[in-house]
Amino acid sequence: MPIKKVFVILPVYNEEQSLPTLIPRILKTMQSSQYPYLIVACDDGSRDRTSQLFDELSKNMNLHMITHKYNRGLGETVRDLMEYAASIADDSDVIVRMDCDDTHGPEFIPFMVKKIEEGYDVVIASRFQSGGGQKGVNVYKLYRDCPIWMIGKEQRPEDLDIIFSNIQISYFRDTQMFSVY
C-alpha cells in the first residue's frame, strides 16, 4: 500500500540544545523524500527554552506541538503522541518515532518507510545490529544501560529505551493498541 503521509513524532524534554540541529536534519530528509510529512512533538514539561524554540521553528515549518504542563514521563508522552497521530491519520499513513536528543539518524526514515510499503507493519532500527551503534550519547545514558548489559544481551528485549521505529497506522487500529483492558 502506498504511504500517504509520514508522522514523525518526537517526545521532548529540555531539548533546546538538540532541536536546532535535529529539526533541520529531519526537514532535509523529509523534503528530499517523496513523502508528505508532519513533525509532531510533545513537550513533557520542559524547564528550558524548548517550547519557545519549537514555536519559533514551527512558524516556517510543518511542525505541531502538544504540551504537558508537568513532566509525565517518557511512556505517557509517547502514548500521547501515538494517540494524537493515530487520531488524525489515515490507515495508509506511517508513524516514525524518534528520540529528540539527536541520537537517531533521520536519514534512515525513507528506507524504513519503504519497508512499510513492502508490507511490514512495524520496522525497528536497532543500535545492536550490524552497522548500528551510538553517537552523541552522554555518560549518564551509557551508565544507565550498564545493569541491563550485566544481565546479558540475550535476555533483554532489544533497544526498548531508544526506539527508532516506523509503524503502519492500520496496525494500531487493527490491534486496538490503545484500548484499555
Side-chain angles (χ1 to χ4, degrees), residues 48-166:
D48 64 1
R49 292 192 60 252
T50 296
S51 188
Q52 295 90 341
L53 190 57
F54 200 87
D55 286 343
E56 291 168 21
L57 291 167
S58 68
K59 289 177 184 171
N60 301 315
M61 300 176 194
N62 200 11
L63 310 173
H64 178 75
M65 174 74 85
I66 300 168
T67 304
H68 289 167
K69 187 174 180 179
Y70 302 103
N71 184 279
R72 297 180 183 174
L74 181 60
E76 205 167 316
T77 301
V78 171
R79 185 208 56 214
D80 290 351
L81 284 162
M82 294 279 195
E83 286 180 345
Y84 177 79
S87 74
I88 63 171
D90 290 331
D91 281 350
S92 61
D93 294 338
V94 170
I95 296 174
V96 176
R97 194 286 218 199
M98 297 178 64
D99 281 350
C100 198
D101 60 3
D102 203 16
T103 56
H104 295 162
E107 62 273 10
F108 296 106
I109 294 172
F111 172 77
M112 295 172 71
V113 172
K114 278 279 189 224
K115 291 296 181 187
I116 296 289
E117 287 181 317
E118 290 173 13
Y120 295 91
D121 291 318
V122 179
V123 178
I124 299 173
S126 174
R127 61 187 170 183
F128 299 111
Q129 295 301 308
S130 177
Q134 286 180 264
K135 293 181 182 175
V137 177
N138 65 33
V139 173
Y140 165 75
K141 288 183 180 180
L142 290 174
Y143 282 114
R144 179 187 61 196
D145 285 346
C146 282
I148 295 170
W149 281 106
M150 287 184 227
I151 294 170
K153 185 176 174 186
E154 290 73 32
Q155 297 173 353
R156 112 176 237 210
E158 291 293 327
D159 222 2
L160 289 181
D161 94 350
I162 299 180
I163 298 173
F164 180 21
S165 59
N166 290 7

